[in-house]
Structures are given as structure tokens and as C-alpha cells.
Amino acid sequence: MPSDVLSALPRRALLLGGLACAGSAAFLRGTTALAATTLLNVSYDPTRELYHGINAAFSENEKNSSGSSVTVRTSNGGSGAQARAVLEGAPADIVSLGLARDIDMLAQKGLVATDWQKRLPHNSTPFTSTIVFLVRKGNPKAIHDWADLVKDNVKVVTPNPKTSGGARWNYLAAWGWALHQTGGTEAAARAYIQALFQHVPVLDAGARGATNSFVQRDLGDVLIAWENEALLAAHELGPDRFDIVVPSLSVLAEPPVALVDHNARTHGTTAIAQHYLEFLYSSRAQDIAATHYFRPTDSAVARLHAGQFPKVKTFDIASLGGWAAVQKKHFAAGGIFDQIYTQHG
């Protein structure tokens, strides 16, 4: 969907219309090289509203500071699917994906520099999030923590870890919680994950699709979601419809960004794309991120918005061995997820 159409829509309409935008990367693959003043940011599902705001602010900033006319377009979809679209030729100047593993995949193919995560502050992660639950108003199934998701008659909505970065964070938040229980072992965590997916009636391809299944189609009793996605649904669709439940332990979700060096060189956009990435750390972009319920990494901006974010005890991906090890163990072909979901299916 072109940005001029997006600008006419309220945020609630963008949320409800998310599925209609999900295939835009495929559409863009057939286009010719982009003009020097146009950037394409290939991003993951729940960032539609975030980058709609940031792109407009960046264009305004460029116009006011240098007189340059810069247009930034964003394509959205499941993080893994978006990374594969770039591998197959989507002309991204920038990627902002759900997890570092998806950008590592681009680096392995020479599209992104191998040191990409050291190029920008906070491991090239300008905003963070975590994983929480969205439940029906009044919490009729009494869901308070991960253990409640595997109770009888509870249906869980979460996207597919094979295509969605958010789904991998969901899975790992559940796995980490199980490991941290008294007497927690990998066998116990595996048993919990297997039981959890037996309560999932359908796997959407991306986080926004899962949100719409829960919100619009009234599917399921609980949505496992990015915190920003849950807060957006709860606030934009009305506090009379949903409650947010914060589990006792979750994962620090770090969605990173990177310059797609190969494409930017081809388009002649390296300098302006790098400037865009640096703009994400500006106080203006950090403030926009907070208004879309992403947690700012700028401490001053974070303090200004602290009241809107619940306190969450988290662990990070490094405590599970890092993305390379996690990918091989859980999500590679034949990994634990395949073993569990094959048995489930």
C-alpha cells in the first residue's frame, strides 16, 4: 500500500487492515532499481504504524535540514519471509527485522556486512519489546502465567515460528520460562512447548495475522504477542474488549536494523540509508517509537514514557546460547519445533 494512501488512514484502520498489506514484498520484487531519493525498508509484521510515523518524520527532517526530498517506503510481512524476499531480490536498502538471525542470513549471502550488528548502538537495535498475553476482557479463562496456557479448554493464538520472528520470540519466552521453573530441565521445557502447541488451533504466517485472528475473527482465548502489538490492540480497539496479562518471566525481544550494503550501493543510496538508520536513534524517532508502544533505548525518552510500560522480568537470547545456537537447535529443519509440531500434526 503506497505511503500516500497510508497517510490518510487512522492507526486503528492500519491495525485492522494489516493483512491486506502483508504481501507487499512480493509485489515489490518485480520493480526496477529505486531512485536515489527513495528508500525501501523491508520490515516485519507489527511495524506498519511505527515506520509510517518515522518515515514521515525522516522525510520532514531531510527537507528542513538539507532541502532534500526523500521518500521512504516500508514493506511488511513475517520476519523470516521478509528476509527470504530480500534474498530473492526484493530491492531493500534497509532491513528492520524481528530478530538478528534473519539479518545474519542476509550477511551470509553477502547482502549485508558481516559486522552489521556492531555498526549501530545497542547491537543495532534502536527499540526493544517483550512478549506478553492479550486476553478477552475480564480474563474469563483466568490466564495469569505460562502454566495457564496449557489448561483444558484454553485455545492459544500464536504465529508460525518458521515464518515469523515474533513467533520465535513467543516460543523462546515459553521455553525460557519452563527452564527457569524449580527443577526445570530441557526435557521439561520440551514437554511444556509440546503441550503448548497442542492448544494452538492454527498458525498464522506473521504476528499481525495472528493479532487479526484473535481480534477480528475472535479466534482463541489468549494471544501470545509482542508487547507493542498487545498494547496497540488494547488501546486502539478499546479497553472494554481486551486485557493485557504480563507473565512472571518473559524474553527481552531485540528487533534489529541494518543497511543492505549490496542493494544500497547498486541504488546509490548508501549515505542516505545510513543517515536513516542513525535517525532511528534520535530523540524524535525514539519518541515516535514509544507512542507506538516500542520501548526506547534512549534513557531520557524511556523515562518520559515509563508509565505506559508494565514492569516485566526478562532474560535475553544470549542466556539461551545466542541466535546461531537457538536456530540450529529449535528452528532448523528437523529441530525441536519440527519434531514437536510433526507429532502434534
Side-chain angles (χ1 to χ4, degrees), residues 230-253:
L231 287 168
L232 177 63
H235 288 286
E236 299 299 323
L237 299 180
D240 57 331
R241 294 187 60 193
F242 307 105
D243 288 333
I244 291 177
V245 174
V246 179
S248 63
L249 182 66
S250 193
V251 67
L252 174 65

Short mmCIF file of all heavy atoms in Angstrom, two decimals, residues 230-253:
data_model
loop_
_atom_site.label_atom_id
_atom_site.label_comp_id
_atom_site.label_asym_id
_atom_site.label_seq_id
_atom_site.Cartn_x
_atom_site.Cartn_y
_atom_site.Cartn_z
N ALA A 230 0.26 -6.01 21.51
CA ALA A 230 -0.80 -6.17 22.50
C ALA A 230 -1.30 -4.81 23.00
O ALA A 230 -2.51 -4.58 23.11
CB ALA A 230 -0.30 -7.01 23.68
N LEU A 231 -0.37 -3.88 23.29
CA LEU A 231 -0.77 -2.55 23.75
C LEU A 231 -1.53 -1.80 22.66
O LEU A 231 -2.51 -1.10 22.94
CB LEU A 231 0.46 -1.76 24.19
CG LEU A 231 1.09 -2.19 25.51
CD1 LEU A 231 2.45 -1.53 25.70
CD2 LEU A 231 0.18 -1.83 26.69
N LEU A 232 -1.09 -1.96 21.42
CA LEU A 232 -1.78 -1.30 20.31
C LEU A 232 -3.21 -1.82 20.20
O LEU A 232 -4.15 -1.03 20.08
CB LEU A 232 -1.02 -1.57 19.01
CG LEU A 232 -1.64 -1.01 17.73
CD1 LEU A 232 -1.71 0.51 17.77
CD2 LEU A 232 -0.84 -1.47 16.50
N ALA A 233 -3.38 -3.14 20.24
CA ALA A 233 -4.72 -3.72 20.13
C ALA A 233 -5.59 -3.27 21.30
O ALA A 233 -6.76 -2.89 21.12
CB ALA A 233 -4.64 -5.23 20.07
N ALA A 234 -5.04 -3.32 22.51
CA ALA A 234 -5.83 -2.98 23.69
C ALA A 234 -6.25 -1.51 23.69
O ALA A 234 -7.39 -1.16 24.01
CB ALA A 234 -5.04 -3.30 24.95
N HIS A 235 -5.32 -0.62 23.31
CA HIS A 235 -5.62 0.81 23.37
C HIS A 235 -6.42 1.28 22.17
O HIS A 235 -7.34 2.09 22.30
CB HIS A 235 -4.33 1.62 23.48
CG HIS A 235 -3.69 1.50 24.82
ND1 HIS A 235 -4.18 2.12 25.95
CD2 HIS A 235 -2.60 0.80 25.24
CE1 HIS A 235 -3.43 1.83 26.99
NE2 HIS A 235 -2.45 1.02 26.59
N GLU A 236 -6.07 0.79 20.97
CA GLU A 236 -6.72 1.30 19.77
C GLU A 236 -8.10 0.67 19.56
O GLU A 236 -8.98 1.28 18.96
CB GLU A 236 -5.84 1.04 18.54
CG GLU A 236 -4.50 1.74 18.60
CD GLU A 236 -4.63 3.25 18.68
OE1 GLU A 236 -5.52 3.80 18.02
OE2 GLU A 236 -3.84 3.88 19.42
N LEU A 237 -8.30 -0.56 20.02
CA LEU A 237 -9.57 -1.22 19.81
C LEU A 237 -10.47 -1.15 21.02
O LEU A 237 -11.58 -1.67 21.01
CB LEU A 237 -9.34 -2.68 19.40
CG LEU A 237 -8.55 -2.84 18.10
CD1 LEU A 237 -8.36 -4.30 17.77
CD2 LEU A 237 -9.22 -2.12 16.95
N GLY A 238 -9.98 -0.51 22.09
CA GLY A 238 -10.85 -0.25 23.23
C GLY A 238 -10.54 -1.09 24.45
O GLY A 238 -10.39 -2.31 24.35
N PRO A 239 -10.42 -0.45 25.61
CA PRO A 239 -10.15 -1.18 26.86
C PRO A 239 -11.31 -2.05 27.30
O PRO A 239 -11.16 -2.82 28.24
CB PRO A 239 -9.88 -0.05 27.85
CG PRO A 239 -10.59 1.14 27.29
CD PRO A 239 -10.52 1.00 25.81
N ASP A 240 -12.46 -1.93 26.65
CA ASP A 240 -13.62 -2.74 27.02
C ASP A 240 -13.62 -4.10 26.34
O ASP A 240 -14.53 -4.91 26.57
CB ASP A 240 -14.91 -2.00 26.64
CG ASP A 240 -14.97 -1.66 25.16
OD1 ASP A 240 -13.90 -1.47 24.55
OD2 ASP A 240 -16.09 -1.57 24.62
N ARG A 241 -12.61 -4.38 25.53
CA ARG A 241 -12.59 -5.64 24.80
C ARG A 241 -11.48 -6.58 25.24
O ARG A 241 -11.62 -7.80 25.14
CB ARG A 241 -12.45 -5.39 23.30
CG ARG A 241 -13.64 -4.67 22.66
CD ARG A 241 -13.49 -4.61 21.16
NE ARG A 241 -13.40 -5.95 20.59
CZ ARG A 241 -13.02 -6.20 19.34
NH1 ARG A 241 -12.69 -5.21 18.56
NH2 ARG A 241 -12.97 -7.45 18.89
N PHE A 242 -10.36 -6.03 25.68
CA PHE A 242 -9.20 -6.87 25.97
C PHE A 242 -8.50 -6.43 27.25
O PHE A 242 -8.57 -5.27 27.64
CB PHE A 242 -8.18 -6.80 24.82
CG PHE A 242 -8.76 -7.10 23.46
CD1 PHE A 242 -9.01 -6.08 22.55
CD2 PHE A 242 -9.10 -8.40 23.11
CE1 PHE A 242 -9.56 -6.35 21.31
CE2 PHE A 242 -9.66 -8.68 21.87
CZ PHE A 242 -9.88 -7.66 20.97
N ASP A 243 -7.80 -7.39 27.87
CA ASP A 243 -6.89 -7.11 28.97
C ASP A 243 -5.51 -7.62 28.59
O ASP A 243 -5.38 -8.61 27.86
CB ASP A 243 -7.34 -7.83 30.26
CG ASP A 243 -8.59 -7.19 30.86
OD1 ASP A 243 -8.81 -5.99 30.65
OD2 ASP A 243 -9.35 -7.93 31.52
N ILE A 244 -4.50 -6.97 29.11
CA ILE A 244 -3.12 -7.44 28.92
C ILE A 244 -2.68 -8.15 30.18
O ILE A 244 -2.87 -7.64 31.29
CB ILE A 244 -2.18 -6.27 28.58
CG1 ILE A 244 -2.52 -5.73 27.18
CG2 ILE A 244 -0.73 -6.71 28.65
CD1 ILE A 244 -1.71 -4.53 26.77
N VAL A 245 -2.09 -9.32 30.03
CA VAL A 245 -1.55 -10.10 31.15
C VAL A 245 -0.04 -10.18 30.98
O VAL A 245 0.45 -10.57 29.91
CB VAL A 245 -2.16 -11.52 31.17
CG1 VAL A 245 -1.48 -12.37 32.24
CG2 VAL A 245 -3.67 -11.45 31.42
N VAL A 246 0.68 -9.79 32.02
CA VAL A 246 2.15 -9.85 31.99
C VAL A 246 2.59 -11.12 32.72
O VAL A 246 2.31 -11.27 33.91
CB VAL A 246 2.75 -8.61 32.67
CG1 VAL A 246 4.27 -8.69 32.67
CG2 VAL A 246 2.29 -7.34 31.97
N PRO A 247 3.25 -12.04 32.04
CA PRO A 247 3.68 -13.28 32.71
C PRO A 247 4.80 -13.01 33.72
O PRO A 247 5.42 -11.94 33.71
CB PRO A 247 4.16 -14.15 31.55
CG PRO A 247 4.57 -13.19 30.48
CD PRO A 247 3.65 -12.00 30.61
N SER A 248 5.08 -14.00 34.56
CA SER A 248 6.09 -13.83 35.60
C SER A 248 7.49 -13.70 35.02
O SER A 248 8.39 -13.14 35.67
CB SER A 248 6.04 -15.01 36.57
OG SER A 248 6.35 -16.23 35.89
N LEU A 249 7.70 -14.22 33.82
CA LEU A 249 9.01 -14.16 33.16
C LEU A 249 8.78 -14.14 31.66
O LEU A 249 7.92 -14.88 31.15
CB LEU A 249 9.88 -15.37 33.54
CG LEU A 249 11.29 -15.41 32.98
CD1 LEU A 249 12.15 -14.28 33.56
CD2 LEU A 249 11.96 -16.76 33.25
N SER A 250 9.56 -13.30 30.96
CA SER A 250 9.46 -13.26 29.50
C SER A 250 10.85 -13.01 28.92
O SER A 250 11.85 -13.02 29.64
CB SER A 250 8.46 -12.19 29.05
OG SER A 250 8.15 -12.33 27.69
N VAL A 251 10.90 -12.78 27.63
CA VAL A 251 12.18 -12.61 26.96
C VAL A 251 12.34 -11.15 26.53
O VAL A 251 11.36 -10.48 26.19
CB VAL A 251 12.26 -13.56 25.72
CG1 VAL A 251 11.26 -13.16 24.64
CG2 VAL A 251 13.67 -13.62 25.17
N LEU A 252 13.57 -10.65 26.59
CA LEU A 252 13.88 -9.33 26.05
C LEU A 252 13.97 -9.46 24.53
O LEU A 252 14.90 -10.07 24.01
CB LEU A 252 15.21 -8.82 26.61
CG LEU A 252 15.71 -7.50 26.01
CD1 LEU A 252 14.77 -6.34 26.33
CD2 LEU A 252 17.13 -7.20 26.48
N ALA A 253 12.98 -8.94 23.83
CA ALA A 253 12.93 -9.06 22.37
C ALA A 253 13.67 -7.89 21.74
O ALA A 253 13.35 -6.73 22.03
CB ALA A 253 11.48 -9.10 21.89
#
